[in-house]
């Protein structure tokens, strides 16, 4: 049997390493034909050796002159343009996009334009350009397969049911590390506290997004584009144990959940094997050993970015790109400890409020607005915070 040819973008990250583990356990059905890293060439080369990967990309062009010890018999490319060129030409069955942030957009667009299946972890692609990706999908042979655990859960629970039978989508959220922190203590939150997520081990950007709950706001927008429901029909609840990965409610009132112990390997595996569930030892969940499951409402005072993202998603146009970009810039400032935790919200809110929106933006509008907002926020952030 031919093995499925996979391109793993962002192989050196958290989703990348979970993908590697899935492929390691199922090498009889999967092979990696292309892998990309941005900076971490050592891990990239290690994986190239282990999985005999023929095409390697280091998307950070600045690394070009500092890399020696290139593995034999491999093609090594530098820069994000080379990555896109490879995606336009390579013989490949599915691309898993595990690049973090807005940098993943062009890879998603290129993959669906070319008609290759896209296993999407990079939710920012849909936040920024969901309308364009969906337009492409109308004529493309691509299948868009969610990797985000909540969206994989919804995808699995919906199965083949028509959209008209689905009444509501209910995303679950762990609540992050500050779920029980008194609100008057938010001004003292440190970077180290923020990076300690209670249930998931993820890259730095999404870990901060989970603490502010921007992540769930981005996921509401992601769900809108993936499942074509109105914002009023997509909500979120706090579920600290991260066992129920999301719910859907059918029009007759029946609610279905998808469950497992928290691990990204399961949604990655399903995205790679869809429409089949295949036999695997990657995940075992013992129902009787599970903690008690609880669900709570999201409070506006605690998680303002979740509510802002919903509003921005509803307005649409270029605004979600502006919000996402301001958030990326604010997080990068927070990771350098140039701003405080609660100033992430201030920066994003102030940026969104100042912006004159345009509807139905082109890819070029999105790319330009993304980089100019990022630069502007990094330069002017002191004027945006109280
Ligand atoms: P990480 O930060 O752990 O990894 C990011 C990957 O992208 C790394 O391989 C990194 O390369 C590469 N990368 C970073 N910057 C760029 C760039 N400018 N251009 C190209 N590649 C780049 O992130 P995660 O794995 O946590 O997240 C990846 C995506 O998956 C995000 O969109 C996130 O929202 C989504 N996601 C993640 C989940 C998780 O559990 N981690 C769950 C659900 C969704 P290098 O390391 O070599 O610098
Ligand atoms: Mg998620």
């Amino acid at each position: 049997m031919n093995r499925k040819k996979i391109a793993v973008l962002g192989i050196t990250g958290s989703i990348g390493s979970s993908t590697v583990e899935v492929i390691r356990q199922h090498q009889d059905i999967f092979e990696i034909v292309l892998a990309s890293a941005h900076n971490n060439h050592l891990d990239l080369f290690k994986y190239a050796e282990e999985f005999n990967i023929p095409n390697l990309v280091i998307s950070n062009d600045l690394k070009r002159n500092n890399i020696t010890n290139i593995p034999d018999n491999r093609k090594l490319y530098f820069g994000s343009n080379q990555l896109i060129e490879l995606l336009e030409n390579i013989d490949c069955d599915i691309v898993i996009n595990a690049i973090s942030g807005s940098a993943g957009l062009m890879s998603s667009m290129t993959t669906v334009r070319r008609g290759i299946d896209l296993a999407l972890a990079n939710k920012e692609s849909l936040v920024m350009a969901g309308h364009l990706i969906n337009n492409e999908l109308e004529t493309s042979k691509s299948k868009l397969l969610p990797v985000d655990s909540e969206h994989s859960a919804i995808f699995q629970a919906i199965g083949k049911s028509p959209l008209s039978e689905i009444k509501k989508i209910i995303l679950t959220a762990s609540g992050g590390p500050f779920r029980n922190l008194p609100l008057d203590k938010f001004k003292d939150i440190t970077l180290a506290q923020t990076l300690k997520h209670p249930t998931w081990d993820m890259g730095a950007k999404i870990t901060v997004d989970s603490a502010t709950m921007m992540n769930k706001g981005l996921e509401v927008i992601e769900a809108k584009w993936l499942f074509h429901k109105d914002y009023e029909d997509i909500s979120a609840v706090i579920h600290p144990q991260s066992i129920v990965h999301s719910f859907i409610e059918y029009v007759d009132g029946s609610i279905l959940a998808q469950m497992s112990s928290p691990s990204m390997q399961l949604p990655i595996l399903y995205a790679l094997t869809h429409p089949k569930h295949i036999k695997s030892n990657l995940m075992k969940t013992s129902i009787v050993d599970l903690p008690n499951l609880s669900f709570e409402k999201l409070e506006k005072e605690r998680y303002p970015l979740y509510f802002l993202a919903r509003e921005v998603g509803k307005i649409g146009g270029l605004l979600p790109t502006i919000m996402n970009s301001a958030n990326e810039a604010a997080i990068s400032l927070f990771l350098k400890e140039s701003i405080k935790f609660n100033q992430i919200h201030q920066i994003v809110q102030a940026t969104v409020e100042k912006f004159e929106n345009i509807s139905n933006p082109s890819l070029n509008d999105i790319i330009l607005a993304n980089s100019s907002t990022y630069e502007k926020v990094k330069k002017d952030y002191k004027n945006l915070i109280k």
Side-chain angles (χ1 to χ4, degrees):
M1 195 187 78
N2 283 341
R3 294 188 295 170
K4 200 171 223 183
K5 299 187 188 77
I6 306 176
V8 186
L9 314 186
I11 197 167
T12 45
S14 156
I15 292 287
S17 72
S18 296
T19 305
V20 164
E21 191 49 33
V22 169
I23 294 173
R24 190 179 278 129
Q25 299 300 321
H26 293 281
Q27 291 194 57
D28 53 326
I29 53 168
F30 300 136
E31 68 176 307
I32 308 178
V33 292
L34 162 68
S36 83
H38 198 58
N39 288 306
N40 184 352
H41 68 282
L42 292 177
D43 278 0
L44 179 69
F45 292 171
K46 203 178 69 193
Y47 291 141
E49 210 55 53
E50 180 182 351
F51 294 95
N52 202 12
I53 308 171
N55 297 291
L56 307 172
V57 182
I58 295 172
S59 46
N60 184 355
D61 219 354
L62 301 173
K63 301 280 288 185
R64 190 186 285 271
N65 298 322
N66 322 337
I67 291 176
T68 50
N69 66 338
I70 298 169
D72 293 337
N73 304 323
R74 316 271 172 228
K75 291 193 181 127
L76 177 63
Y77 304 86
F78 287 91
S80 46
N81 291 344
Q82 287 272 16
L83 175 60
I84 297 305
E85 227 175 285
L86 275 167
L87 289 172
E88 281 165 350
N89 295 297
I90 198 162
D91 176 17
C92 160
D93 300 307
I94 186 162
V95 172
I96 172 152
N97 186 352
I99 292 173
S100 60
S102 53
L105 172 62
M106 272 315 289
S107 297
S108 295
M109 283 301 292
T110 308
T111 304
V112 293
R113 275 182 180 160
R114 213 189 134 196
I116 294 176
D117 289 349
L118 175 62
L120 188 63
N122 182 268
K123 62 193 87 185
E124 293 86 354
S125 297
L126 283 173
V127 169
M128 298 165 76
H131 62 299
L132 300 178
I133 290 177
N134 276 355
N135 277 351
E136 292 291 339
L137 286 169
E138 278 177 22
T139 51
S140 158
K141 283 197 312 228
S142 289
K143 276 190 295 186
L144 180 55
L145 302 153
V147 168
D148 215 348
S149 54
E150 297 76 2
H151 305 74
S152 176
I154 296 158
F155 190 54
Q156 293 179 57
I158 292 178
K160 293 202 168 103
S161 301
L163 190 63
S164 57
E165 289 180 15
I166 311 300
K167 186 168 160 200
K168 280 195 177 134
I169 287 173
I170 304 147
L171 304 168
T172 52
S174 72
F178 309 127
R179 182 171 58 91
N180 292 319
L181 190 74
L183 293 176
D184 61 356
K185 297 265 180 339
F186 267 57
K187 57 183 185 337
D188 306 320
I189 287 172
T190 65
L191 178 60
Q193 287 170 314
T194 308
L195 292 179
K196 229 192 219 149
H197 194 276
T199 49
W200 297 99
D201 182 13
M202 309 177 285
K205 193 250 172 192
I206 185 173
T207 304
V208 178
D209 279 341
S210 300
T212 62
M213 204 57 87
M214 172 58 103
N215 184 49
K216 212 50 54 183
L218 299 178
E219 289 186 359
V220 167
I221 303 175
E222 181 185 14
K224 186 232 149 36
W225 293 117
L226 280 168
F227 304 113
H228 313 281
K229 297 303 288 184
D230 292 337
Y231 281 99
E232 290 66 38
D233 300 327
I234 306 171
S235 59
V237 289
I238 305 255
H239 168 47
Q241 301 81 19
S242 301
I243 301 292
V244 173
H245 299 307
S246 280
F247 301 97
I248 56 163
E249 184 178 337
Y250 279 90
V251 282
D252 59 4
S254 171
I255 294 179
L256 262 63
Q258 185 266 341
M259 299 167 64
S260 73
S261 299
S263 159
M264 288 309 296
Q265 292 175 11
L266 202 55
I268 291 168
L269 178 67
Y270 186 64
L272 296 178
T273 62
H274 176 82
K276 290 186 184 154
H277 285 272
I278 65 157
K279 193 169 171 198
S280 177
N281 294 320
L282 283 167
M283 172 54 57
K284 289 194 176 70
T285 305
S286 167
I287 299 278
V288 288
D289 295 326
L290 288 179
N292 288 336
L293 305 184
S294 59
F295 303 94
E296 302 156 22
K297 268 191 174 161
L298 268 87
E299 300 165 78
K300 201 160 190 171
E301 307 72 43
R302 187 172 295 276
Y303 301 119
L305 277 172
Y306 166 75
F307 292 89
L308 178 68
R310 289 186 64 94
E311 287 312 306
V312 165
K314 253 187 244 174
I315 296 166
L318 202 50
L319 211 55
T321 296
I322 303 303
M323 176 188 72
N324 186 63
S325 183
N327 183 53
E328 284 184 12
I331 289 178
S332 101
L333 291 163
F334 177 65
L335 292 174
K336 289 191 196 117
E337 302 192 76
S338 305
I339 60 165
K340 294 187 164 173
F341 180 81
N342 49 8
Q343 291 174 334
I344 300 173
H345 168 236
Q346 291 173 13
I347 287 176
V348 177
Q349 169 114 28
T351 309
V352 164
E353 277 172 1
K354 279 190 181 157
F355 187 74
E356 279 204 31
N357 198 16
I358 61 167
S359 56
N360 203 14
S362 67
L363 186 57
N364 206 30
D365 295 333
I366 291 171
I367 290 168
L368 289 177
N370 179 52
S371 57
S372 64
T373 304
Y374 190 86
E375 295 309 325
K376 213 157 137 203
V377 171
K378 293 284 283 265
K379 214 164 105 234
D380 290 349
Y381 72 91
K382 288 193 178 134
N383 297 325
L384 299 170
I385 54 188
K386 289 170 202 153

